[in-house]
Amino acid sequence: ETEILQARERGPAIVDEAVERGVDVIIIGLKYEKKFGDFDMGDTVPYVMRNAPCRVLVWREPVNASEGQS
C-alpha cells in the first residue's frame, strides 16, 4: 500500500505514520552523495533510525551509480 503525504519535515512524518499504522519495518532508499568529501546521509535517515518504533532498512544505491552526476 502506498500513499503520498505532505509534511514540513520528512523524518517526523515517516515516524508518525509508522506509529499510526503499526508497521513492522520502514524501508528507505538512499542516494550515495558526498558532502565535504565524505558520504552524507542527510537529516531524514538518521532521524528515522533514531526514532522509529520498528526496524529500519536503509537501501543505499551503489557508489558507482552516482559517479558522473552533478
Side-chain angles (χ1 to χ4, degrees):
E1 181 179 325
T2 61
E3 185 177 336
I4 296 176
L5 302 174
Q6 187 172 357
R8 288 180 185 249
E9 295 184 49
R10 293 176 289 211
I14 293 167
V15 171
D16 289 347
E17 281 295 309
V19 169
E20 185 176 311
R21 294 173 183 253
V23 302
D24 296 321
V25 64
I26 297 170
I27 302 172
I28 299 178
L30 179 63
K31 291 178 72 173
Y32 185 86
E33 293 185 329
K34 288 187 176 184
K35 188 173 187 180
F36 304 113
D38 289 325
F39 173 65
D40 181 53
M41 290 195 297
D43 297 326
T44 303
V45 172
Y47 180 91
V48 172
M49 290 175 68
R50 280 192 307 271
N51 296 288
C54 59
R55 290 183 171 101
V56 177
L57 175 62
V58 179
W59 195 272
R60 194 205 74 207
E61 75 177 353
V63 174
N64 295 346
S66 293
E67 288 181 5
Q69 297 177 1
S70 300

